[in-house]
Amino acid sequence: MAPHNPALSESNDIDYDVVVVGAGMGGIYATHTYTEDGLSVLGLEGAAGVGGVWYHNRYPGARVDVESFYYSYFFDKDLYKEWKWTERYPAQPEILAYLDHVAERFHVKEKFQFNTWMSGAQWDPAGNRYTVTTDKGDTYTCRYLVMTSGQLSKPRKPSFEGLDDFQGEWVQTSQWPDRHIELEGKRIAIIGTGSSGVQAIPILAEAASHLTVFHRTANYSIPANNSPLDQAKYDDFAGRLDEVWEEVVHHPGAAPIPMPSRAAADYTPEEQQARLEECWSYGGHSMNLVFTDQGTNKDVNDIVSEFVRNKIRTIVDDPDVAETLVPTEYPIGSRRLCVVTGFYKTFIRDNVTLVDVKSDPIIKITPTGIQTQNGHIEVDLIVFALGFNAFTGALDEANITNEEGKHPSDLWKRGPRTYLGLMTTGFPNLFIITGPGSPSVLANMIVCNVQHVDFVGDIISHMHEHHYNRVEPTLDAQDSWTEHVAEVASKLLRLNVENYMVHVNKDDNSRVFQPYAGGFPAYVQRCEEVIANDFEGFDFK
Ligand code: N01
């Protein structure tokens, strides 16, 4: 348990330089990078293998909505060249295989303890280190605690009355078991129609004798238009990876899809329709990028929203079902777009029923099914697709305490406060990868993870160079970044819509947008300026 490189570590009274928590995309890269940097690294992972969200979200239909050309690590040219994606938007098993391959290839797995949850970490100011405990009863000390535990990894648990007495089987999309779940011929219910639910629904419908979909808020679901991978394009990318990486980091979402160049008013109505059709055909998040002003101008947003509503009306033949599925409660793009394959068509099937829980609420789960206000539905299997305690859920569960025994969330009662989404004042040497205040879920997560891990690596190198023991952001830097994050989000229509990206203070209804909405390039530029200005905003001791 001695440090891998005592010369770098300088301190012999710690077990590891770095403890990395979570073996998802961020944890794999962090473990590889910091090991390469000569640091000793211990990884802790609650699951039996690597993959993070792609380990747990193995529900039928799960697939990424970022094109595989960009949903890849770029740090190793041979890795990029050799890996063969099969689809434009790969499915969960393929992504998990990819992450497993990367972890294997770069000897990351041997650094991790699997089936091991971190149960707490306490900052020790005298030793400038964290004491990390696990559910196995082990204790480790480390200089740096790197949380790659994700922003969408702590599932919202079902809390329906009667669930304990249900005699059938129930599962969560976000914790789909690593075993065969029999779907064929079953009477299945699914509750939740966010990004996860809408992906699972078409597959469940194909297998079930009957599928009942319980939905609460209609979402905008845009066809992915998935296709086999364009191998020639991939090979071209692999041959000029540095150039492609530049394109990636200069795109607001860190995944180059065509950007709008003009406001809606710059087009005639006919040209607007042509542009809408063009984005619909491209598919996925392109529907957020039809006009430059659709995220800030409600009238323009209405044009895009109405276009999608009409598409739904043409696909779903039953007008009552169609109107239930038509999103009316919020402007398009003010919640994350759902990206789907065959979702609306599923409601043409005669083995599928839609229940709107706003007009027919779920009263309880019974031993044999679901009791709603209007009736009882007998089911064999219930699938919960209820989403996550986003941004703070995994961090809270990790039970990290500072010198005063406080958790980060104790100081974030009115919304997260961070510097660059990476660190929070009062918690020295704690790095939150893709945390609130960084682009995080608004950009391509694999790229965000890599950028953050590299930035943290730069901070650690700077510390070793100057023999510093601890770092945390100054309160001023944290306050001004938090204000900047709020300022950038202030004009967004999505700030005023109920969704997991917004923290709402119940007493005065004030709203805090959690990710940084200024775009990935602006964020990267700020990080580069911080480094160029001798790590301004960080207080080193
Ligand atoms: O979670 P969600 P998700 N009774 O929070 C409903 C990423 N992701 O797991 O909208 C009834 O979006 C809730 O209803 P409402 C992506 O970032 C990516 O689907 O709150 N219903 C909603 O319908 C995404 O944004 C990919 O009214 C209840 C659903 O549950 C994020 O993960 C794939 C309820 C939760 O939707 C989260 O997506 C999957 C209740 N008591 C996920 N409680 C891709 O890359 C909640 N709901 C494609």
Side-chain angles (χ1 to χ4, degrees):
M1 236 179 276
H4 172 71
N5 184 342
L8 259 183
S9 299
E10 291 177 1
S11 164
N12 289 319
D13 61 353
I14 51 156
D15 298 323
Y16 293 94
D17 294 311
V18 186
V19 168
V20 170
V21 183
M25 292 175 303
I28 291 170
Y29 182 67
T31 302
H32 165 64
T33 302
Y34 302 145
T35 304
E36 287 285 291
D37 288 348
L39 300 169
S40 59
V41 182
L42 169 70
L44 298 175
E45 168 55 62
V50 299
V53 291
W54 293 112
Y55 180 94
H56 292 290
N57 285 260
R58 51 182 81 211
Y59 59 85
R63 65 175 68 244
V64 67
D65 58 5
V66 175
E67 291 177 278
S68 47
F69 306 105
Y70 309 117
Y71 203 71
S72 298
Y73 290 112
F74 281 64
F75 69 88
D76 185 284
K77 287 187 173 134
D78 290 336
L79 169 69
Y80 192 96
K81 203 174 282 174
E82 284 161 24
W83 181 258
K84 300 279 178 229
W85 293 112
T86 62
E87 291 180 279
R88 182 182 179 198
Y89 298 111
Q92 176 272 338
E94 193 170 350
I95 302 167
L96 186 58
Y98 173 68
L99 294 174
D100 195 74
H101 167 74
V102 176
E104 195 73 57
R105 180 184 171 129
F106 295 100
H107 311 288
V108 164
K109 288 185 189 177
E110 57 213 52
K111 303 280 175 191
F112 266 91
Q113 286 189 12
F114 294 99
N115 298 305
T116 306
W117 293 98
M118 173 173 141
S119 53
Q122 166 75 57
W123 173 250
D124 162 14
N128 289 313
R129 60 188 191 175
Y130 280 96
T131 304
V132 176
T133 50
T134 75
D135 65 348
K136 297 257 176 74
D138 294 321
T139 299
Y140 305 100
T141 51
C142 63
R143 295 187 74 185
Y144 309 105
L145 184 57
V146 177
M147 299 301 294
T148 49
S149 46
Q151 308 307 314
L152 293 167
S153 51
K154 177 75 186 144
R156 217 182 267 149
K157 285 222 165 97
S159 58
F160 294 91
E161 186 194 329
L163 183 58
D164 288 346
D165 301 325
F166 182 57
Q167 288 164 2
E169 191 173 8
W170 65 267
V171 285
Q172 292 171 268
T173 47
S174 50
Q175 299 272 286
W176 196 272
D178 187 12
R179 64 182 162 81
H180 178 69
I181 300 287
E182 189 56 63
L183 304 174
E184 211 53 49
K186 298 279 181 194
R187 297 165 303 174
I188 303 175
I190 180 164
I191 306 178
T193 51
S195 295
S196 306
V198 297
Q199 285 189 325
I201 284 164
I203 314 289
L204 297 177
E206 273 171 30
S209 62
H210 196 90
L211 176 70
T212 309
V213 176
F214 292 85
H215 102 154
R216 189 164 69 178
T217 309
N219 287 315
Y220 296 88
S221 296
I222 311 301
N225 292 335
N226 190 22
S227 57
L229 186 89
D230 180 343
Q231 193 61 51
K233 181 174 169 186
Y234 190 85
D235 293 344
D236 169 52
F237 277 24
R240 52 182 189 92
L241 209 55
D242 293 338
E243 211 180 301
V244 177
W245 176 248
E246 284 305 304
E247 287 166 27
V248 168
V249 295
H250 286 98
H251 187 277
I257 57 174
M259 290 297 289
S261 57
R262 293 155 71 186
D266 296 338
Y267 295 96
T268 64
E270 294 72 30
E271 286 170 341
Q272 286 178 352
Q273 285 305 305
R275 175 86 191 118
L276 287 157
E277 289 289 355
E278 185 190 356
C279 290
W280 179 264
S281 299
Y282 190 94
H285 294 288
S286 187
M287 224 52 225
N288 268 341
L289 302 169
V290 187
F291 307 116
T292 50
D293 48 352
Q294 74 183 74
T296 48
N297 181 324
K298 177 70 170 59
D299 292 339
V300 172
N301 190 287
D302 284 346
I303 297 171
V304 184
S305 300
E306 198 50 28
F307 173 85
V308 175
R309 290 181 193 125
N310 285 331
K311 286 287 184 193
I312 299 168
R313 291 179 181 118
T314 44
I315 300 169
V316 181
D317 51 0
D318 181 321
D320 290 338
V321 176
E323 283 317 308
T324 308
L325 290 168
V326 160
T328 52
E329 291 186 30
Y330 64 93
I332 190 167
S334 55
R335 280 176 160 199
R336 196 172 186 280
L337 279 185
C338 297
V339 179
V340 292
T341 301
F343 172 66
Y344 291 117
K345 277 192 188 146
T346 304
F347 294 90
I348 303 171
R349 300 176 68 108
D350 47 18
N351 71 332
V352 175
T353 312
L354 180 64
V355 176
D356 179 0
V357 301
K358 279 196 175 137
S359 57
D360 185 13
I362 295 171
I363 307 296
K364 62 176 180 179
I365 311 284
T366 70
T368 57
I370 299 178
Q371 179 69 52
T372 70
Q373 192 172 284
N374 296 345
H376 184 263
I377 298 144
E378 300 266 322
V379 293
D380 307 305
L381 173 68
I382 306 176
V383 176
F384 295 102
L386 304 176
F388 300 88
N389 291 325
F391 294 103
T392 49
L395 205 56
D396 288 343
E397 190 169 71
N399 187 24
I400 301 163
T401 45
N402 69 5
E403 199 171 337
E404 284 92 37
K406 299 243 189 282
H407 303 94
S409 286
D410 294 332
L411 308 179
W412 294 353
K413 293 277 187 241
R414 302 194 72 75
R417 303 190 72 77
T418 66
Y419 184 41
L420 299 169
L422 263 184
M423 295 199 84
T424 190
T425 309
F427 289 82
N429 299 11
L430 168 67
F431 298 101
I432 306 161
I433 302 300
T434 71
S438 78
S440 180
V441 295
L442 294 180
N444 178 357
M445 284 301 267
I446 195 161
V447 175
C448 290
N449 272 290
V450 166
Q451 188 270 347
H452 273 200
V453 166
D454 285 345
F455 189 21
V456 171
D458 289 342
I459 294 173
I460 293 176
S461 297
H462 181 76
M463 290 176 73
H464 286 293
E465 217 173 283
H466 294 85
H467 306 286
Y468 293 130
N469 286 320
R470 50 185 284 176
V471 58
E472 63 181 299
T474 66
L475 204 51
D476 278 354
Q478 175 166 291
D479 286 348
S480 89
W481 181 254
T482 304
E483 266 167 44
H484 176 59
V485 172
E487 156 70 21
V488 166
S490 63
K491 294 185 196 71
L492 298 179
L493 298 173
R494 69 195 308 169
L495 178 63
N496 296 309
V497 169
E498 277 318 299
N499 76 86
Y500 67 81
M501 295 186 201
V502 181
H503 169 100
V504 182
N505 291 310
K506 294 214 169 70
D507 53 354
D508 60 359
N509 210 27
S510 57
R511 308 173 78 82
V512 178
F513 197 70
Q514 302 190 72
Y516 174 64
F520 189 71
Y523 177 81
V524 172
Q525 190 187 336
R526 183 68 198 121
C527 293
E528 284 168 357
E529 285 164 8
V530 165
I531 295 175
N533 294 330
D534 208 18
F535 294 87
E536 67 178 331
F538 291 104
D539 182 18
F540 295 96
K541 293 209 164 56

